[in-house]
Amino acid sequence: MRTPLLVANWKMNKQIAEAQAFAEDFLPRVQGVKDVEIVICPPFTALEAVRRSLQGSLVKLGAQDVFWEEKGAYTGEVSPSMLLDAGCSYVIIGHSERRQILGERDVDINRKLKAALEGGLTPILCVGETLQERENNRALEIVKGQINEDLQGLRLEEPNLVVAYEPVWAIGTGVNASPDDAQEMIGFIRSLLARNLGKTLADEICILYGGSVKPENTAQFMAEADVDGALVGGASLQAESMARIVRFKEP
Ligand code: PGA
């Protein structure tokens, strides 16, 4: 059984006081919600404050990126053990904004994934096609290439990996993929995971949809057989809307 997983990706938003205010507002709103896992991914600078605010709750902490080396002369980078030390259990890897704006390649993402797993973090690997790639009927091929390259040489003992399918054209645009299209791609991703990691693990790994997820459309995505949760950007910045997303089962 895969537990529904709802992840807030704050991107480059919220100063420390705003992050604390979110946590204070959010926690009572999700109190008593059962059978879901919730992760909040603040910017690095707010990790410690959010960790303290979340203490005693079941909400987990995640980072938005990680480097593949443990320590040394890598100015500006943060290692898996530093994230663990800061209270993180998850880390987003390969978000399309990093791929597109910062030039992150699949080989980099592969190294980050391996380092995060070795360091005891659960990676949330992001994949997805651009609008042009979808219009040229290349969406499946693009995502297949990303998954196969990102997972190359990866060995897993447990299902401590999350994949997020985030079509680039749906991120921050208000135009979400249809639940049918999300299911088609996520079912395909599960078959690729089975080939790379074995069917038993592939059946246990959570695969999320991301891209303009809102309180109003979450339940439709969650009703799809292979969609196990959501990676939420814009709608995760307000405690009220993130809490409604977490409470997607309630009418
Ligand atoms: P969005 O972003 O929900 O604002 O579309 C999702 C993401 O980039 O993870």
Side-chain angles (χ1 to χ4, degrees), residues 7-11 92 95-97 126 164 166-176 209-214 230-237 245:
V7 182
N9 173 15
W10 285 355
K11 309 191 180 185
I92 296 171
H95 190 281
S96 68
E97 285 149 16
C126 301
E166 297 207 305
V168 177
W169 46 272
I171 295 176
T173 58
V175 183
N176 55 275
Y209 167 75
S212 298
V213 171
K214 316 177 244 293
L231 180 54
V232 189
S236 77
L237 293 172
I245 287 169

Side-chain angles (χ1 to χ4, degrees), residues 6-238:
L6 290 313
V7 182
N9 173 15
W10 285 355
K11 309 191 180 185
M12 199 173 70
N13 291 290
K14 293 198 192 293
Q15 302 207 346
I16 291 170
E18 294 168 313
Q20 282 169 325
F22 175 99
E24 266 170 44
D25 189 359
F26 180 68
L27 287 178
R29 292 178 188 270
V30 295
Q31 189 138 38
V33 182
K34 283 205 227 43
D35 305 322
V36 295
E37 173 116 336
I38 309 168
V39 181
I40 298 181
C41 302
F44 290 130
T45 47
L47 282 174
E48 169 60 12
V50 175
R51 182 192 67 78
R52 266 188 276 120
S53 303
L54 295 180
Q55 252 168 8
S57 81
L58 294 174
V59 180
K60 303 268 171 52
L61 191 64
Q64 298 174 19
D65 187 30
V66 66
F67 193 56
W68 55 76
E69 296 289 350
E70 250 322 294
K71 59 175 153 184
Y74 306 101
T75 302
E77 295 300 323
V78 174
S79 74
S81 62
M82 288 170 178
L83 293 183
L84 212 61
D85 188 39
C88 293
S89 39
Y90 288 84
V91 59
I92 296 171
I93 295 179
H95 190 281
S96 68
E97 285 149 16
R98 298 203 60 83
R99 292 177 188 260
Q100 296 201 318
I101 304 168
L102 293 143
E104 226 168 77
R105 305 159 303 166
D106 289 301
V107 287
D108 305 319
I109 291 162
N110 177 257
R111 294 178 84 176
K112 290 183 175 192
L113 275 176
K114 288 175 178 163
L117 283 164
E118 240 164 67
L121 297 162
T122 299
I124 302 170
L125 165 65
C126 301
V127 295
E129 81 286 355
T130 63
L131 184 58
Q132 196 180 11
E133 288 161 348
R134 176 156 286 261
E135 283 175 350
N136 292 340
N137 277 324
R138 294 183 59 217
L140 292 171
E141 167 201 338
I142 294 295
V143 169
K144 181 179 180 180
Q146 291 173 335
I147 291 279
N148 288 345
E149 286 180 50
D150 297 345
L151 298 187
Q152 194 154 40
L154 206 80
R155 295 276 163 275
L156 283 189
E157 306 290 325
E158 303 161 65
N160 51 347
L161 167 72
V162 175
V163 179
Y165 167 54
E166 297 207 305
V168 177
W169 46 272
I171 295 176
T173 58
V175 183
N176 55 275
S178 71
D180 273 1
D181 284 348
Q183 166 58 31
E184 184 198 20
M185 186 63 88
I186 289 176
F188 176 63
I189 291 172
R190 202 174 297 288
S191 73
L192 297 171
L193 293 181
R195 255 185 267 164
N196 279 277
L197 305 167
K199 184 164 181 343
T200 311
L201 278 176
D203 285 340
E204 288 172 305
I205 288 174
C206 275
I207 311 181
L208 316 179
Y209 167 75
S212 298
V213 171
K214 316 177 244 293
E216 295 74 27
N217 60 22
T218 309
Q220 294 163 33
F221 287 109
M222 296 305 290
E224 298 291 341
D226 282 291
V227 181
D228 304 316
L231 180 54
V232 189
S236 77
L237 293 172
Q238 268 77 48

